[in-house]
Amino acid sequence: MKQDDTTGGPGGSERAGGASPPAPRETLELIMDDGAAIRVRCHGSPRSPRLYVSHGNGFAVDGYLPFWGPLAERYEVVAFDMRNHGRNPPAGADGHHYPQMARDLAQVVAGVEAALGARPRVGVFHSMSARAAMKQAVQGSAPWDALLLYDPPNVPPREHPLYEPMRAFELRLVEFALNRPERFAAPEELARSYAESRAHRSWVGDSHTLMAQALLRRDAARGDWVLSCPREYEAAIYLAALTLDLWPAASALGCPTLLVGADPERQGGPPTGRTNQALAAEQGYRYEAVRETGHLLQIERPEECRRLLQEFLGGLGIA
C-alpha cells in the first residue's frame, strides 16, 4: 500500500523538520507476518539494479543519506528502517529480535517485488541489519543476488581471542543504551550530542542533524521529542549478540558477498574492525577495510564506501 511520507503515519507521529532526504519516487507500507509495518521508500530509476539499504541498532536509514543518496543516480535505492526504528510505527517488543528481523528482510523483498516487479536484488546493510541478513542467509532461502555487509559486529566463538573484546564491547553498548536520554526538547539537542561524541564527531556534513531527525518522533502530548526505538529494545539487541552464534563461512550465505570493515588498526577504534578482519580471513570472505573509520564508516567515509560497492557490483556485472 502507498502512503503519504510526510508524517509518522498511524498515531500522528510528527517528523522533525529541516534537513531531510529527498522525496521518494514510491512509498510502500509492508505488513510483516506478525502485523508489524515496515515503511519502504524507493529512490532512483526503477529500471536499475535494486539496492535494499538499512541501518544499525539504535539508528535509522535516513541518517545514512550521505552514503546512499548519491547511489540513486545509478541504482534503484530501496531505503527502509528495521522494525521499531525510524519512520516505522511502534511494533512492540515481542518481535524485536534477530529471528524476526531476518524474516522481515525476506518479506520486505517479497513485498517490494509484488508491488514494483522483480529486479536484481542487492542487500546493503550495516551492523544490526547486516547481522540479520547473515542470519537469514545461513538459514537458507536468502533472496539476494549479492550482499554488502558493512562492519557487522559479529561475536566470535568463546574460544576465539577476539571473543572477550567483543563481549566487553557489546556489554558497554547495553549500558549505554539503558542510560541514554530518551526524550529531547528538540532534534538539535540530540544532533549536538552526536557532534560532541568522540565516536561520532567524524561523521560528514550534516549527518548529525540527519540522524537526530531520523531517530526522533514528536510527542504532541508532552511537547517534546522521543526516540523511535525505545532504549530497552536497543539494549536487548546488543545483548542478543552474545548468544546469536553467528560466525558463518562466506559460502554459507549463498551469494557473492563483500565484507567491509572499520579500520582494524585505528587507535582507539572499536573491536569490530579487528573482528571483521578475522572473520574474513578465517571464513573466506572477500573483504575490504576503510582506513581511519570506526563503526559508522558509511557516514564517516561515504565516498570510499560507495566506491567499494560500485567496484564489487561492477565485477559481478550488476551495474
Side-chain angles (χ1 to χ4, degrees):
M1 126 183 179
K2 298 182 184 179
Q3 73 163 48
D4 183 358
D5 204 34
T6 60
T7 72
S13 299
E14 183 183 343
R15 306 292 317 172
S20 61
R25 187 195 77 245
E26 196 94 26
T27 303
L28 305 171
E29 181 162 298
L30 305 176
I31 305 303
M32 304 295 101
D33 56 12
D34 65 346
I38 302 289
R39 290 175 176 156
V40 169
R41 286 89 70 192
C42 302
H43 300 263
S45 170
R47 294 179 296 278
S48 300
R50 185 173 288 154
L51 310 184
Y52 292 83
V53 182
S54 201
H55 59 86
N57 189 29
F59 293 105
V61 75
D62 286 352
Y64 294 65
L65 181 66
F67 164 71
W68 63 257
L71 290 171
E73 298 173 7
R74 298 184 59 174
Y75 306 93
E76 182 181 30
V77 175
V78 175
F80 63 98
D81 298 304
M82 302 294 280
R83 62 173 50 222
N84 289 312
H85 285 79
R87 299 196 190 199
N88 296 324
D94 287 351
H96 200 85
H97 49 71
Y98 276 109
Q100 180 63 57
M101 289 180 177
R103 292 193 294 272
D104 289 349
L105 293 179
Q107 293 173 74
V108 165
V109 172
V112 169
E113 293 195 347
L116 304 180
R119 301 294 301 158
R121 309 154 167 172
V122 179
V124 183
F125 300 122
H126 173 244
S127 194
M128 174 183 69
S129 61
R131 274 201 293 217
M134 296 176 83
K135 183 172 181 61
Q136 174 208 29
V138 299
Q139 291 174 341
S141 68
W144 311 110
D145 294 299
L147 278 171
L148 290 104
L149 305 174
Y150 288 86
D151 213 44
N154 292 341
V155 178
R158 282 181 175 267
E159 64 275 12
H160 197 285
L162 289 172
Y163 173 79
E164 284 299 334
M166 279 303 299
R167 178 179 179 273
F169 176 69
E170 296 289 359
L171 292 178
R172 285 196 302 272
L173 290 174
V174 169
E175 182 179 8
F176 159 78
L178 290 175
N179 291 284
R180 72 182 299 185
E182 62 182 347
R183 309 193 77 93
F184 301 86
E188 292 76 16
E189 182 182 351
L190 178 56
R192 281 194 301 272
S193 73
Y194 281 136
E196 293 167 359
S197 165
R198 183 178 65 86
H200 305 317
R201 66 172 63 124
S202 59
W203 294 0
V204 298
D206 58 358
S207 299
H208 303 103
T209 298
L210 284 165
M211 189 66 78
Q213 292 175 347
L215 296 187
L216 298 178
R217 291 193 180 96
R218 174 75 169 170
D219 185 338
R222 293 184 55 168
D224 61 1
W225 298 81
V226 63
L227 292 172
S228 57
C229 180
R231 55 191 180 183
E232 294 80 8
Y233 293 16
E234 182 181 352
I237 290 296
Y238 292 133
L239 190 60
L242 299 179
T243 58
L244 197 56
D245 191 24
L246 194 62
W247 195 253
S251 59
L253 272 58
C255 68
T257 300
L258 178 63
L259 184 64
V260 184
D263 188 344
E265 299 180 358
R266 185 182 187 184
Q267 188 69 27
T272 54
R274 289 176 287 132
T275 302
N276 277 298
Q277 185 182 51
L279 175 63
E282 295 167 16
Q283 301 288 31
Y285 287 84
R286 178 170 172 178
Y287 163 77
E288 299 281 355
V290 181
R291 64 182 183 86
E292 296 300 321
T293 62
H295 186 51
L296 273 291
L297 65 170
Q298 289 157 291
I299 49 180
E300 294 175 2
R301 288 186 175 264
E303 291 184 9
E304 177 69 5
C305 288
R306 283 195 303 275
R307 182 186 66 80
L308 293 172
L309 178 149
Q310 291 165 357
E311 289 180 356
F312 177 61
L313 296 185
L316 298 176
I318 301 175

